[in-house]
Amino acid sequence: GRLDNYGVRHTVEITEGSAKGTKKDCLRFLFLRSGIIKETEWFLLLARDRDYRDADSHDSISKMVNGDFCALHGLITVVKKE
C-alpha cells in the first residue's frame, strides 16, 4: 500500500524537483514532499488510534517519517540559501 511506496516516492519526488533546474521549482517539489510527509504522519496516527497498527509498529514507522521530515527541512533550508 501507501507505506510500501513511501521511500521510493519520496526519493523520486525530490529527484524530479531538483531536475527542474530552477530554485523555485525545486522548492515547490520539496514543499510538496513535506506536505505528503505530514499527511503520512496523520494517517499513521489514525491507524494507531483505530488499532490498525500496534504501538511498536507505529513508533518505528513514525520515527522514520519524522527523520525524513527533519532531513527534508534541512534540505529546504540549504536550497533556500543558494
Side-chain angles (χ1 to χ4, degrees):
R2 189 170 174 95
L3 285 175
D4 295 337
N5 295 327
Y6 173 79
V8 173
R9 288 182 58 220
H10 185 70
T11 304
V12 168
E13 289 285 335
I14 291 172
T15 303
E16 183 180 355
S18 64
K20 294 292 183 182
T22 69
K23 180 178 175 178
K24 180 180 176 182
D25 283 336
C26 183
L27 284 171
R28 185 173 64 83
F29 274 86
L30 294 176
F31 280 116
L32 172 67
R33 195 79 227 144
S34 177
I36 291 170
I37 291 172
K38 286 300 183 182
E39 179 184 274
T40 301
E41 287 179 336
W42 185 85
F43 279 114
L44 286 170
L45 288 171
L46 181 65
R48 184 200 62 199
D49 291 349
R50 293 192 176 178
D51 294 326
Y52 298 148
R53 290 200 164 271
D54 60 61
D56 290 337
S57 174
H58 170 269
D59 290 346
S60 66
I61 295 170
S62 184
K63 285 178 186 176
M64 177 190 70
V65 171
N66 187 45
D68 288 349
F69 182 80
C70 291
L72 185 58
H73 179 71
L75 182 56
I76 289 170
T77 301
V78 169
V79 171
K80 281 182 171 181
K81 289 180 181 180
E82 289 181 341

